[in-house]
Amino acid sequence: MAGNRAVVYNKPGSVEIRDTDYPDLILRDGPGVNPLNVGRKCEHGVILKVVTTNICGSDQHMVRGRTTAPSGLILGHEITGEVIEVGRDVEFIQKGDFVSVPFNIACGRCRNCKERHTNVCLNVNPDRPGSAYGYVDMGGWVGGQSEYVMVPYADFQLLKFPDKAQAMEKILDLTMLSDIFPTGYHGAVSAGVRPGSTVYVAGAGPVGLAAAHSAQLLGAAVVIVGDLNAERLAQAKSFGCETVNLREHANLAEQIEQILGTPEVDCAIDCVGFEAHGHGKAHGEAPATVLNSIMEVTRAGGRLGIPGLYVTGDPGAVDDDSKIGTLKIRFGLGWAKSHTFVTGQTPVMKYHRDLMMAILSGRAQIAKAVNATKISLEEAPNAYQEFDRGVSRKFVIDPHGLVK
């Protein structure tokens, strides 16, 4: 039987490459696997040879020690690959298909899946609705920052690319379909972005950049991106965004007014999440900062898209309330302004086919927007360190050296 190598969380601040088991069509016991999922048969699944798999900011939360992720957890929920084995119950996906894997695992059979809420499938995580590969408290499905990975419910979930050669030419764009592009797009759609909108995007990390590019695709008149990191703001500016450096200018409303002539935008997107920092030179961690600031600068009747990650357990939080996800939100302000809030995991399958067509037609340039950077599997530990230092790159792991 072939071997397998994977990126494994070791301890806070440390990941390493380890030899691990070659996957089969059953969920076996291992780090992070929910006991009620152990032994789960997946004849509805496939084995993929991983072509690309990306490092995500959500992975970084675990690697920083900001979750209860166990040592030995195989990381990675952004997966693109070639089908090399199909289960007995797979009818339509075939060996040799080149596919994108939605990061949220969904059965296709429960009420939520049938209503297109594949982000909160009822049948894949015994603890609560919703699941993902290689992530803490998500049922224990093995991650895909590896050479090979098992993907369940293949007929329902997998997005097949129409032409493999064409897909390989655009692989640095298409690899973003598993999470980051749909997540940014979901944030923009949830915020109500439409032609002529003025939009504020909090955070110039990869998700923020994807949200900004998505807002442009949806016809926004002006997209303003705010961050504390000058390098990431320069990346946002490179594809036509206005920017606000919140380390240098603590008052967000004033900066928006300088750009638009008014201190408010039509809609806002939170792409930071629970590790948010305050604004200004002496900033420190203040997890409610982004949510409160986007309520302040979004017009009455506006919408807030919140794809940024918030958790129910954060052992490294700044206070006891934040450790269980309780934040000091000015909800009264949002109520007074009749804001609409949309939160939660992105239902990737709601968007990924349309976004694939936007990429294949040349309409979407997501790899350029997020500065996609190809690395080998061996380079992943160093890439995690660079990402943690705030480098403006979206790292794409190429485990088999297949990407030109």
Side-chain angles (χ1 to χ4, degrees):
M1 180 62 70
N4 194 14
R5 296 163 66 244
V7 181
V8 175
Y9 169 67
N10 185 28
K11 60 184 180 179
S14 173
V15 301
E16 60 187 27
I17 309 302
R18 293 185 191 173
D19 292 329
T20 187
D21 294 334
Y22 185 84
D24 54 10
L25 298 173
I26 188 169
L27 185 54
R28 301 190 184 280
D29 198 8
V33 180
N34 190 301
L36 297 176
N37 262 350
V38 172
R40 187 166 179 163
K41 297 179 180 179
C42 297
E43 289 294 341
H44 42 64
V46 298
I47 307 299
L48 293 186
K49 180 178 182 179
V50 177
V51 175
T52 55
T53 176
N54 315 327
I55 295 176
C56 180
S58 298
D59 299 320
Q60 198 71 57
H61 292 306
M62 290 188 291
V63 174
R64 289 192 188 112
R66 296 300 297 268
T67 70
T68 55
S71 179
L73 183 73
I74 295 176
L75 300 169
H77 55 269
E78 302 189 14
I79 307 164
T80 305
E82 180 183 1
V83 177
I84 59 173
E85 180 182 339
V86 297
R88 179 194 61 215
D89 299 332
V90 177
E91 186 175 0
F92 303 111
I93 293 293
Q94 299 178 353
K95 185 176 179 180
D97 285 348
F98 192 19
V99 297
S100 176
V101 183
F103 80 88
N104 15 57
I105 302 167
C107 71
R109 304 165 186 177
C110 69
R111 175 181 176 177
N112 284 354
C113 283
K114 290 177 179 178
E115 294 178 358
R116 301 185 76 193
H117 301 303
T118 54
N119 52 319
V120 280
C121 174
L122 301 174
N123 290 329
V124 289
N125 183 355
D127 286 339
R128 62 177 183 268
S131 189
Y133 303 89
Y135 212 84
V136 59
D137 297 331
M138 287 288 185
W141 300 90
V142 179
Q145 286 176 14
S146 56
E147 294 175 319
Y148 303 94
V149 67
M150 187 269 284
V151 174
Y153 305 106
D155 279 331
F156 177 65
Q157 295 192 102
L158 294 182
L159 175 65
K160 178 183 173 182
F161 300 135
D163 181 87
K164 185 175 181 180
Q166 180 193 31
M168 284 303 297
E169 290 177 3
K170 291 182 175 286
I171 187 60
L172 290 181
D173 292 284
L174 293 171
T175 190
M176 306 303 167
L177 291 173
S178 57
D179 178 357
I180 181 175
F181 197 7
T183 293
Y185 192 81
H186 178 61
V189 169
S190 299
V193 178
R194 60 182 186 271
S197 295
T198 56
V199 185
Y200 175 66
V201 179
V207 171
L209 297 171
H213 184 47
S214 297
Q216 292 174 333
L217 290 173
L218 289 166
V222 182
V223 179
I224 304 170
V225 180
D227 203 290
L228 302 162
N229 183 319
E231 180 183 344
R232 289 181 168 181
L233 289 172
Q235 179 63 26
K237 188 170 287 188
S238 74
F239 60 93
C241 299
E242 300 285 345
T243 60
V244 173
N245 188 324
L246 294 166
R247 185 186 299 272
E248 302 297 329
H249 308 285
N251 192 310
L252 175 59
E254 285 183 2
Q255 299 307 307
I256 288 176
E257 186 170 20
Q258 288 186 15
I259 296 168
L260 298 177
T262 175
E264 291 186 323
V265 291
D266 294 323
C267 43
I269 310 168
D270 172 10
C271 298
V272 178
F274 74 102
E275 286 193 66
H277 280 232
H279 301 161
K281 295 182 185 298
H283 69 87
E285 186 168 317
T289 298
V290 169
L291 292 171
N292 287 329
S293 65
I294 62 176
M295 283 190 283
E296 178 188 354
V297 301
T298 301
R299 68 175 178 85
R303 298 174 63 93
L304 311 178
I306 309 173
L309 176 67
Y310 289 87
V311 295
T312 57
D314 175 8
V318 294
D319 55 54
D320 288 340
D321 282 342
S322 299
K323 287 181 180 179
I324 58 172
T326 300
L327 307 183
K328 294 181 179 179
I329 305 299
R330 290 190 66 195
F331 191 74
L333 176 61
W335 189 93
K337 296 177 79 171
S338 294
H339 283 159
T340 298
F341 301 74
V342 180
T343 67
Q345 279 191 35
T346 297
V348 170
M349 293 179 66
K350 190 173 181 178
Y351 308 109
H352 65 174
R353 184 173 299 279
D354 290 345
L355 295 177
M356 174 186 73
M357 296 307 297
I359 289 170
L360 294 178
S361 69
R363 172 73 173 140
Q365 304 286 336
I366 187 64
K368 179 180 178 181
V370 302
N371 195 16
T373 303
K374 179 186 70 122
I375 60 172
S376 67
L377 192 67
E378 289 75 15
E379 293 173 296
N382 183 63
Y384 268 97
Q385 293 180 3
E386 288 191 50
F387 193 26
D388 192 45
R389 289 194 293 267
V391 67
S392 187
R393 296 181 182 178
K394 175 67 173 178
F395 289 107
V396 178
I397 300 171
D398 175 13
H400 297 278
L402 298 174
V403 180
K404 295 181 181 178

